[in-house]
Amino acid sequence: MSVKTIISSQYREKVNQASAQLQGMALPPEGWLCTVRNALGMSAAALARRLGKTRALVSNTEKAELEGGVTLKAMQSMAEAMNCRFVYAIVPNGNIDAILKSRAYEKARKLVEAGSKHMALEQQSLSQQQIAFEIERLAADMLKNPPADFWNDEA
């Protein structure tokens, strides 16, 4: 096993662990800032005083969180002012290996379909069984040795 393969495997494991831990976690309807502040029984004015900012800034930041316009720095400072820790993550929709496998099959299917069209024009069509075999073979090869254009949507 190459060093690159080992490192890639370690990254996949780390992301899969985070995904498993955060499965089902979603943004609360009021956003995390407002939800935690209310859980603490802290008013927006009290949070503003702790931040050395205005109540309007707290309100605007809570709204910005819901709209996706809040900065990581603002989330961090507000979390700290509530004696909390700000954590963010990018969590895949499913297992990383499943995402990679799906992508490999998608790329393989497109390649085989393109090749099949050319072969059909030359009266050398492949059977459905041969097409399925080639897709399987190409996908397995891509998973072992991802091509440089693995994530390119062309071809």
Side-chain angles (χ1 to χ4, degrees):
M1 204 184 278
S2 72
V3 173
K4 184 178 177 182
T5 303
I6 292 168
I7 291 171
S8 180
S9 176
Q10 290 171 341
Y11 278 132
R12 284 194 305 272
E13 183 60 31
K14 182 176 282 202
V15 173
N16 285 336
Q17 285 176 354
S19 179
Q21 290 174 347
L22 299 173
Q23 199 66 21
M25 184 176 285
L27 180 69
E30 295 178 310
W32 284 110
L33 294 172
C34 183
T35 299
V36 172
R37 184 177 56 73
N38 286 328
L40 293 169
M42 184 185 293
S43 68
L47 178 55
R49 280 192 300 277
R50 292 177 69 101
L51 287 164
K53 306 289 182 181
T54 65
R55 191 210 170 290
L57 178 104
V58 170
S59 178
N60 289 339
T61 303
E62 288 178 351
K63 287 177 187 166
E65 179 190 4
L66 292 173
E67 296 167 357
V70 69
T71 66
L72 296 177
K73 185 176 180 179
M75 293 291 288
Q76 173 93 27
S77 65
M78 290 184 79
E80 288 173 1
M82 293 186 285
N83 198 27
C84 294
R85 184 171 55 109
F86 173 64
V87 179
Y88 73 92
I90 297 173
V91 182
N93 297 321
N95 181 289
I96 289 290
D97 294 323
I99 293 170
L100 291 170
K101 188 174 182 178
S102 175
R103 179 61 180 183
Y105 275 90
E106 177 186 343
K107 291 277 289 183
R109 183 185 48 75
K110 286 181 181 178
L111 285 170
V112 171
E113 284 177 359
S116 291
K117 286 179 186 175
H118 293 291
M119 291 177 74
L121 293 174
E122 298 172 7
Q123 316 304 311
Q124 299 174 0
S125 297
L126 296 175
S127 69
Q128 288 301 321
Q129 185 178 6
Q130 290 170 314
I131 290 172
F133 175 81
E134 282 302 311
I135 291 171
E136 189 76 31
R137 186 186 64 74
L138 281 172
D141 187 51
M142 283 185 213
L143 288 170
K144 286 180 188 169
N145 303 304
D149 68 345
F150 189 73
W151 289 104
N152 290 357
D153 287 330
E154 303 85 35

